[in-house]
Amino acid sequence: MSTTAIATDLGLKPAATAATASRSVSSVEVTDYDNRQTVGKIVVDNAKMICRGVNVYYGEKQAIKNVSLDIGANEVIAFIGPSGCGKSTFLRCLNRMNDTITTCRVTGQIKLDDDDVYDKSIDVVQLRARVGMVFQKPNPFPKSIYENVAYGPRIHGMVNTKAELDDLVRDSLERAGLIKEVEKRLNEPGTSLSGGQQQRLCIARAIAVHPEVILMDEPCSALDPIATAKIEELIDELRENYTIVIVTHSMQQAARVSQRTAYFHLGDLIEIGETDQIFTNPKHKLTEDYITGRFG
Amino acid sequence: MSKPNATAVPTASRDIKTIVNATLKRRHAAERRFRWYGLLAISLGLIFVLLMFGNIIGKGYPAFWQSYIQLPIKFDAAILDPEGNRDPHAIENADYAALVRTGLRALFPNVEGRVELRALYALSSSDAPLELRQQVMAHPTLIGTEQEIWLLASATVDTFVKGNIDRQAEEDHRPIKDNQIGWIDQLQATGKLKQRFNTILFTSGDSREPEQAGIRGALMGSFYTLLVTFLLSFPVGVATAVYLEEFAPKNRWTDLIEVNINNLAAVPSIVFGLLGLAVFINFFGLPRSAPLVGGLVLSLMTLPVIIIAGRAALTSVPPSIREAALGMGASKLQMVGHHVLPLAMPGMLTGSIIGMARALGESAPLLMIGMVAFIVDVPKSFLDPSTVLPVQIYLWSDLPERAFVERTSAAIMVLLAFMILMNGLAIILRKRFERRW
Ligand SMILES: Nc1ncnc2c1ncn2[C@@H]1O[C@H](COP(=O)(O)OP(=O)(O)O)[C@@H](O)[C@H]1O
Ligand SMILES: [Mg+2]
């Protein structure tokens, strides 16, 4: 399958397809499989997060190898790659969720605006309030829908009155596109919702604390196509106010929701660039093999 | 594919059919046999349980009834209040036994002679005068009146009435004499000797007289002891489980602690009793026989059970809930306090209740710290000398009187009832809060 065919499959803009139509199938710049130097522009102008030389080890095993990239403000950046390549591991470095794994060790630098994420003076509580997370499997607390959304604002002391909290909960559910479905049942357990609704509840829970960045680790992998479409729509809307990093195993999803895409392979960041370009005109042979379905 | 192979297929399939059929019979037989073994094992177990319950209930249930004799009591003012000024002190110290004796003589006016009279008086329990005093103290207006009053019969009468003394045996070989049997028959014929529900069993402490002995003292002792045990071992156990499971670094020290806790759960309970004697009583100088010390000792025994159950309950909380909380920016303590602990609590409570049930049935370590003394008074605090239900059972089982044999079984029934209650509660908790996620 040619990259052009993939591009039309993915419903990319005709212009992008046209630009590449003239190129031959393997017009990649890096054909050497052993070359693991990152291809593409890692720097952006309005960076929200800056990662430089990040290595992650689980005990002796290195899961992320010298990865550098920028995450731009108000962009959706997708991490793709075969499973086990370290997408989740890298994502979890961004809000230090890896701290909970005792064997895990992170070196290098990750900055959120001007703050060093791994600096001793940064408290993970504060960091995670600024960098929210949505997990692969919807994981609402076994409490009411209201309590799920109210939890973050409560523990961070964001509101003073019940009325403020009510407003914040409604607003968050509204922005997560869930309010119509749950308006009448705010006191029912969050676990009573359908899978897609649960995931949107988790998104509402995350945005209730007004984070700057939202990390999503394969948020749709447990959902049916219709629920997936709703989440993707939501991601597109949320981009206005938040920076979103999404890990996905679905290339179509990456193409649909993201502006930039990073391709990981066995712990290396192989290629990064505009999503259109990655899918229509990959520059590394490994990327091309992956998006044309030769492995993955 | 070659031709011989193609023709070989049908024969091969016929072969496999006969081969399987040959073994099939054996396999089915083995399965049937195994089922029978299982059924046999279960039936055997059930039979023993039924035998045990049958034996205990059969022996114990008569203890819930007790013989009373209805006597015409003349509350003679000359005896109770000779001064006529209703002085409580005088009323309290009056000769109530005389009232009982008069009552008995009134029923059997023909009895004469000291020996005969003493045999007659022996029908009534030594508790009867005390009961009369209580009634008069409570209602002084009784003085000067004459009332028909049900008073406790002696244990010998009760045993005889329950059919546990052979009427045909030689007079010298039975504790009840011919003339007494005659009076009892007469009383029964006139409806003045009856079996009533034995409230004394539940309202009084231990006694040398079987008809006056109850389990109230042991029950209260068990209650205070278990209260101390729970108040100590539950918070400490839960805190330890949470710390070890959620906060402690995983290194050699915590491994060592873990191994030791598991070993502690397997230490014979009498060892804890010796430890309690050496530490709490001899070193710290706490009083002997006190529920406080008993509770401390049983806490040592219950703690490892609660810790182990608590840790199991904590690990069964799915990691996704922890991640959700941490991802929201909850601190570790908030994660545990808001989410993990509430979800683990039913499991922890279940484990604790089972641990407490075990503590309730424990006697050996309490023997070591002196909770085995003969104590008549019902304990009113954690420091009053007392005994506990299993030890009371042990004490009574040692006594020769037939009436104590039935009380022993009755006490066992009460103990078993509490055990079943506690285990039932644990099961209900587990079922009620069982979560699926
Ligand atoms: N907790 C862990 N302990 C040890 N190794 C881990 C752990 N989590 C992930 N890994 C390893 O790190 C590598 C990257 O895993 P992950 O980031 O989950 O991949 P992806 O999300 O891209 O599928 C894999 O080889 C995986 O086996
Ligand atoms: Mg992953």
Side-chain angles (χ1 to χ4, degrees):
Chain A
M1 204 189 236
S2 73
T3 47
T4 319
I6 285 275
T8 18
D9 259 10
L10 300 180
L12 287 177
K13 292 185 215 80
T17 324
T20 54
S22 54
R23 303 178 75 127
S24 64
V25 174
S26 359
S27 62
V28 291
E29 285 161 16
V30 183
T31 50
D32 176 10
Y33 281 115
D34 293 331
N35 186 343
R36 297 292 162 90
Q37 208 75 55
T38 304
V39 179
K41 206 166 106 217
I42 59 167
V43 192
V44 296
D45 296 335
N46 55 342
K48 184 75 195 166
M49 296 190 85
I50 300 173
C51 313
R52 290 293 176 269
V54 176
N55 292 291
V56 184
Y57 305 86
Y58 289 114
E60 292 298 300
K61 189 168 162 283
Q62 187 166 10
I64 289 291
K65 299 166 188 163
N66 195 24
V67 168
S68 301
L69 62 81
D70 283 0
I71 296 162
N74 294 73
E75 78 169 353
V76 177
I77 181 168
F79 293 172
I80 60 169
S83 62
C85 67
K87 306 178 296 285
S88 301
T89 301
F90 187 69
L91 189 76
R92 292 161 63 94
C93 289
L94 301 177
N95 69 343
R96 290 180 57 176
M97 278 303 276
N98 282 338
D99 286 13
T100 55
I101 302 165
T102 43
T103 56
C104 185
R105 198 159 51 82
V106 180
T107 65
Q109 196 182 42
I110 300 176
K111 287 180 94 169
L112 172 62
D113 289 334
D114 293 327
D115 301 318
D116 188 342
V117 165
Y118 278 87
D119 194 81
K120 292 250 182 320
S121 65
I122 292 274
D123 195 316
V124 289
V125 165
Q126 185 211 37
L127 173 69
R128 289 176 192 153
R130 293 174 67 189
V131 183
M133 189 155 190
V134 177
F135 296 85
Q136 184 165 355
K137 213 177 126 245
N139 58 353
F141 299 126
K143 301 184 178 196
S144 72
I145 293 169
Y146 182 93
E147 286 300 321
N148 262 282
V149 183
Y151 185 65
R154 273 220 185 98
I155 58 169
H156 295 305
M158 289 170 61
V159 287
N160 297 317
T161 64
K162 177 89 171 77
E164 271 177 49
L165 186 60
D166 285 350
D167 285 348
L168 185 50
V169 168
R170 288 187 66 85
D171 180 52
S172 305
L173 285 168
E174 174 122 43
R175 281 186 294 150
L178 196 60
I179 191 70
K180 280 210 203 77
E181 288 147 88
V182 301
E183 211 161 20
K184 298 254 149 48
R185 43 196 283 210
L186 285 178
N187 290 320
E188 284 176 35
T191 43
S192 68
L193 297 171
S194 76
Q197 290 173 325
Q198 285 189 21
Q199 196 61 298
R200 276 182 283 149
L201 177 61
C202 290
I203 293 173
R205 182 175 69 184
I207 58 181
V209 291
H210 297 303
E212 297 159 39
V213 182
I214 303 174
L215 311 177
M216 299 185 175
D217 192 349
E218 306 196 19
C220 303
S221 66
L223 306 183
D224 62 80
I226 292 173
T228 301
K230 278 196 184 147
I231 302 260
E232 285 176 4
E233 218 174 282
L234 177 60
I235 290 172
D236 214 44
E237 285 166 20
L238 291 175
R239 180 158 67 93
E240 223 175 283
N241 298 310
Y242 307 97
T243 301
I244 295 171
V245 186
I246 178 169
V247 169
T248 173
H249 60 242
S250 152
M251 284 175 279
Q252 285 87 340
Q253 183 166 72
R256 282 193 297 263
V257 300
S258 70
Q259 286 78 55
R260 282 166 79 229
T261 296
Y263 172 67
F264 287 79
H265 187 91
L266 293 178
D268 289 297
L269 175 58
I270 298 296
E271 185 165 352
I272 182 166
E274 301 291 320
T275 299
D276 294 356
Q277 174 256 314
I278 295 278
F279 283 107
T280 57
N281 187 16
K283 297 212 172 72
H284 198 292
K285 191 87 179 92
L286 280 168
T287 319
E288 189 193 52
D289 283 358
Y290 181 70
I291 62 170
T292 53
R294 234 162 277 172
F295 63 85
Chain B
M1 205 181 268
S2 60
K3 261 184 187 147
N5 228 347
T7 53
V9 171
T11 31
S13 75
R14 205 182 308 131
D15 279 355
I16 196 75
K17 243 168 118 177
T18 47
I19 292 169
V20 170
N21 269 342
T23 61
L24 216 51
K25 211 179 253 166
R26 261 193 298 127
R27 282 191 257 176
H28 284 322
E31 202 168 309
R32 244 194 325 274
R33 260 200 317 279
F34 182 76
R35 277 193 206 171
W36 277 110
Y37 295 152
L39 220 63
L40 199 73
I42 290 178
S43 324
L44 223 73
L46 262 179
I47 286 171
F48 279 116
V49 168
L50 285 181
L51 271 178
M52 186 189 84
F53 272 89
N55 183 16
I56 290 170
I57 294 173
K59 268 198 204 149
Y61 94 93
F64 293 103
W65 277 267
Q66 191 66 31
S67 303
Y68 284 79
I69 302 174
Q70 192 185 36
L71 292 182
I73 298 292
K74 245 175 89 186
F75 291 98
D76 195 344
I79 296 175
L80 298 176
D81 187 21
E83 312 276 321
N85 57 4
R86 295 289 188 268
D87 172 21
H89 188 73
I91 294 177
E92 192 171 359
N93 292 312
D95 184 7
Y96 289 93
L99 300 188
V100 178
R101 286 198 297 267
T102 320
L104 278 164
R105 273 206 309 275
L107 279 183
F108 300 102
N110 302 330
V111 178
E112 271 169 17
R114 272 185 45 186
V115 180
E116 285 268 295
L117 278 173
R118 190 175 300 155
L120 178 65
Y121 299 155
L123 294 184
S124 174
S125 165
S126 60
D127 173 62
L130 307 179
E131 167 68 23
L132 285 182
R133 172 164 70 194
Q134 229 173 38
Q135 291 199 8
V136 173
M137 296 298 285
H139 310 283
T141 46
L142 281 172
I143 297 175
T145 64
E146 191 172 338
Q147 310 276 342
E148 294 284 325
I149 292 181
W150 286 100
L151 288 170
L152 193 58
S154 74
T156 323
V157 172
D158 186 59
T159 310
F160 176 77
V161 170
K162 283 172 181 164
N164 293 322
I165 296 174
D166 187 5
R167 189 188 272 266
Q168 257 66 52
E170 262 189 71
E171 188 172 14
D172 291 346
H173 289 182
R174 52 175 142 81
I176 197 157
K177 304 305 168 202
D178 287 342
N179 51 0
Q180 289 175 313
I181 292 179
W183 298 324
I184 289 171
D185 287 345
Q186 223 174 309
L187 283 171
Q188 277 184 310
T190 53
K192 290 190 181 300
L193 195 159
K194 278 210 174 110
Q195 302 265 307
R196 306 168 101 205
F197 184 73
N198 186 3
T199 48
I200 290 174
L201 186 63
F202 298 99
T203 55
S204 49
D206 200 2
S207 169
R208 290 285 181 227
E209 305 300 329
E211 80 274 9
Q212 296 167 37
I215 55 171
R216 178 61 169 260
L219 269 181
M220 290 314 286
S222 276
F223 171 76
Y224 285 125
T225 307
L226 283 190
L227 197 64
V228 172
T229 307
F230 186 78
L231 290 181
L232 267 174
S233 59
F234 187 70
V236 175
V238 168
T240 311
V242 167
Y243 177 76
L244 283 178
E245 200 55 47
E246 306 286 338
F247 292 95
K250 298 273 172 282
N251 58 27
R252 259 188 318 162
W253 290 112
T254 44
D255 281 350
L256 193 73
I257 290 174
E258 185 164 351
V259 168
N260 273 308
I261 287 172
N262 289 340
N263 283 341
L264 221 53
V267 168
S269 55
I270 192 138
V271 177
F272 290 113
L274 280 168
L275 183 79
L277 179 63
V279 176
F280 300 128
I281 295 181
N282 292 343
F283 186 74
F284 285 112
L286 292 174
R288 291 173 69 91
S289 314
L292 177 65
V293 181
L296 285 168
V297 168
L298 292 182
S299 299
L300 291 177
M301 215 189 72
T302 317
L303 253 179
V305 178
I306 294 183
I307 293 173
I308 292 170
R311 295 187 67 177
L314 286 170
T315 37
S316 73
V317 175
S320 64
I321 300 290
R322 295 162 202 267
E323 283 197 321
L326 289 178
M328 289 305 300
S331 67
K332 210 159 177 183
L333 191 61
Q334 286 174 326
M335 170 193 89
V336 172
H338 296 161
H339 302 286
V340 178
L341 200 54
L343 291 174
M345 200 39 88
M348 288 179 152
L349 277 176
T350 307
S352 308
I353 291 170
I354 289 170
M356 296 301 291
R358 231 187 73 182
L360 171 65
E362 200 57 69
S363 55
L366 303 179
L367 302 183
M368 303 307 301
I369 57 158
M371 294 189 84
V372 68
F374 170 71
I375 292 149
V376 176
D377 292 327
V378 175
K380 292 196 176 58
S381 80
F382 298 106
L383 292 172
D384 288 347
S386 62
T387 183
V388 292
L389 210 43
V391 175
Q392 185 71 74
I393 290 167
Y394 164 77
L395 284 171
W396 280 353
S397 72
D398 228 20
L399 298 173
E401 287 97 329
R402 172 74 210 191
F404 274 122
V405 174
E406 64 182 40
R407 271 173 177 68
T408 307
S409 291
I412 292 174
M413 281 163 72
V414 173
L415 183 63
L416 283 178
F418 275 107
M419 294 278 182
I420 292 169
L421 216 71
M422 288 171 90
N423 282 315
L425 191 67
I427 291 170
I428 288 170
L429 263 179
R430 194 158 47 206
K431 283 263 178 287
R432 175 94 172 65
F433 291 99
E434 205 169 43
R435 271 178 201 279
R436 286 159 290 266
W437 35 60

